[in-house]
């Protein structure tokens, strides 16, 4: 079971990643990276008022090479602390993704979360168009180094047929051993004092009870669509504030957990609290 940060949350800079290395998360996930560094969208691009968490970051990241450099420099420490490194990859084209995955494997990265569901770029996220998603995945994963295990960061699918189609496709892709449910809900809009809170107006909504209910529904449906012997884990991401949410996720079929908004709000003590809850000693001093 992995318990770690959600891609995008407190994982953009080397300082962020060093904090995660010191935390009680048992994996460290990077910001979704692209071939070249990106500044992302203009500020304000994140808003959280305790009810709504909405972002339009625009894939601000240091570029994949910097995250691989961090990994190479911290490899021994990661091992010492028993932490898995997960490179979140959001290349803007098939060839960008293929290149990043190959370079990652060359330096010994074993696990990647492929994120083709970012809601904050122009146009439809590739993974929402399930035919296009299949074409991209087949092309990206063809000839991939066998050492690399791939998780897929999925969007919220509102059409149950898409869930069946994606689950059946995933079962035919040997490199894919997990699906993460789910990325933030796209195209949200929050006003404060009559003004949109984001410079780009629209953004991805995450965190909170509604997101948790949506994500549990996705976890539940993917668990059933994949079936018991698929060898594909379902990862819950969204609306996790503590151990009770993780317990609910387990009931729905999730075996790993990623914390987003709660990590931004409360810091890495959230990992401690979740472990304590799961170990049943949450009432100890
Ligand atoms: C961004 C947002 C996401 O939800 C995601 O999965 C990747 C990137 C962003 O805006 O940077």
């Amino acid at each position: 079971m992995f318990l770690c940060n959600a891609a995008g949350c407190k994982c953009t800079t080397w300082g962020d990643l060093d904090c995660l290395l010191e935390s009680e998360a048992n994996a460290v996930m990077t910001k979704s990276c692209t071939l070249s560094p990106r500044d992302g969208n203009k500020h304000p691009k994140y808003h959280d008022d305790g009810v709504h968490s909405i972002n339009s970051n625009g894939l601000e990241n240091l570029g994949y090479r910097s995250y691989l450099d961090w990994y190479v420099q911290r490899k021994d420490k990661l091992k010492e602390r028993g932490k898995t490194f997960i490179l979140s990859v959001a290349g803007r084209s098939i060839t960008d993704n293929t290149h990043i995955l190959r370079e990652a494997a060359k330096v010994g990265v074993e696990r990647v979360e492929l994120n083709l569901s970012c809601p904050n770029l122009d146009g439809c996220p590739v993974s929402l168009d399930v035919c296009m998603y299949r074409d991209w995945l087949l092309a990206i994963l063809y000839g991939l180094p066998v050492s690399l295990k791939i998780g897929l960061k999925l969007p919220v699918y509102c059409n149950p047929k898409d869930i069946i189609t994606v689950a059946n496709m995933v079962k035919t892709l040997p490199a894919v051993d997990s699906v993460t449910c789910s990325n933030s809900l796209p195209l949200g809009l929050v006003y404060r004092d009559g003004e949109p809170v984001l410079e780009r107006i629209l953004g991805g909504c995450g965190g909170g009870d509604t997101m948790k209910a949506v994500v549990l529904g996705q976890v539940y449906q993917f668990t059933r669509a994949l079936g018991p012997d698929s060898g594909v884990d379902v990862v819950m991401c969204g609306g996790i504030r503590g151990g009770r949410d993780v317990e609910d996720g387990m009931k729905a079929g999730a075996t790993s957990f990623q914390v987003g908004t709660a990590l931004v709000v409360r810091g890495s003590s959230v990992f401690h609290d979740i472990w304590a809850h799961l170990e049943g000693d949450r009432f100890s001093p």
Side-chain angles (χ1 to χ4, degrees):
M1 168 186 157
F2 288 123
L3 173 64
C4 69
N5 61 301
C9 297
K10 296 278 188 191
C11 59
T12 301
T13 66
W14 281 38
D16 292 336
L17 295 171
D18 284 339
C19 284
L20 290 168
L21 186 55
E22 298 304 326
S23 78
E24 289 181 43
N26 63 6
V28 175
M29 173 87 70
T30 69
K31 169 75 185 167
S32 298
C33 65
T34 48
L35 200 60
S36 305
R38 287 169 60 101
D39 290 335
N41 294 332
K42 286 195 191 133
H43 293 275
K45 52 186 176 181
Y46 178 77
H47 168 85
D48 183 2
D49 55 24
V51 180
H52 303 105
S53 165
I54 185 167
N55 75 85
S56 181
N57 186 284
L59 270 179
E60 175 184 353
N61 77 95
L62 303 176
Y64 82 97
R65 183 50 68 190
S66 180
Y67 296 113
L68 293 187
D69 288 346
W70 183 86
Y71 169 68
V72 169
Q73 289 196 23
R74 302 291 191 272
K75 218 181 221 181
D76 293 341
K77 267 196 183 159
L78 283 157
K79 207 169 187 183
E80 240 169 59
R81 290 164 168 67
K83 291 197 201 305
T84 298
F85 175 77
I86 309 176
L87 183 73
S88 174
V89 175
R92 304 289 289 118
S93 66
I94 290 171
T95 49
D96 283 6
N97 285 301
T98 308
H99 180 79
I100 296 170
L101 264 48
R102 294 228 165 97
E103 292 300 303
K106 272 190 205 162
V107 298
V109 171
E110 291 173 355
R111 186 164 283 282
V112 160
E113 188 174 83
L114 187 60
N115 182 356
L116 300 178
S117 53
C118 172
N120 298 329
L121 303 165
D122 293 330
C124 175
V126 170
S127 53
L128 264 183
D129 176 337
V130 293
C131 291
M132 182 159 60
Y133 196 27
R134 199 201 62 215
D135 292 348
W136 275 55
L137 287 176
L138 288 176
I140 293 167
L141 301 181
Y142 180 77
L144 191 73
V146 284
S147 56
L148 218 46
K149 297 188 193 79
I150 308 287
L152 300 178
K153 178 86 172 258
L154 299 177
V156 172
Y157 291 107
C158 296
N159 182 345
K161 274 190 199 162
D162 287 344
I163 293 179
I164 305 292
T165 305
V166 171
N168 286 338
M169 171 183 72
V170 164
K171 286 194 268 189
T172 68
L173 301 171
V176 176
D177 73 349
S178 67
V179 291
T180 301
C181 304
S182 308
N183 212 318
S184 43
L185 283 168
L187 306 176
L189 169 56
V190 174
Y191 288 105
R192 187 177 48 189
D193 302 328
E195 294 295 328
V197 293
L198 300 178
E199 197 272 344
R200 288 256 303 190
I201 303 178
L202 302 175
C205 300
D209 292 339
T210 304
M211 190 62 188
K212 178 184 160 188
V214 169
V215 162
L216 285 176
Q218 297 285 300
V219 167
Y220 180 86
Q221 292 175 87
F222 267 99
T223 300
R224 267 136 203 88
L226 287 164
D229 305 315
S230 68
V232 179
D233 289 327
V234 179
V235 182
M236 177 181 180
C237 176
I240 298 177
R241 281 194 270 233
R244 268 178 222 286
D245 305 317
V246 167
E247 270 182 36
D248 290 344
M250 286 175 174
K251 271 182 216 139
T255 51
S256 284
F257 301 87
Q258 298 177 359
V259 186
T261 302
L263 173 64
V264 176
V265 174
R266 287 177 46 205
S268 56
S269 65
V270 70
F271 298 123
H272 174 86
D273 294 351
I274 290 172
W275 287 125
H277 181 99
L278 295 179
E279 284 156 16
D281 63 351
R282 62 191 182 281
F283 299 119
S284 63

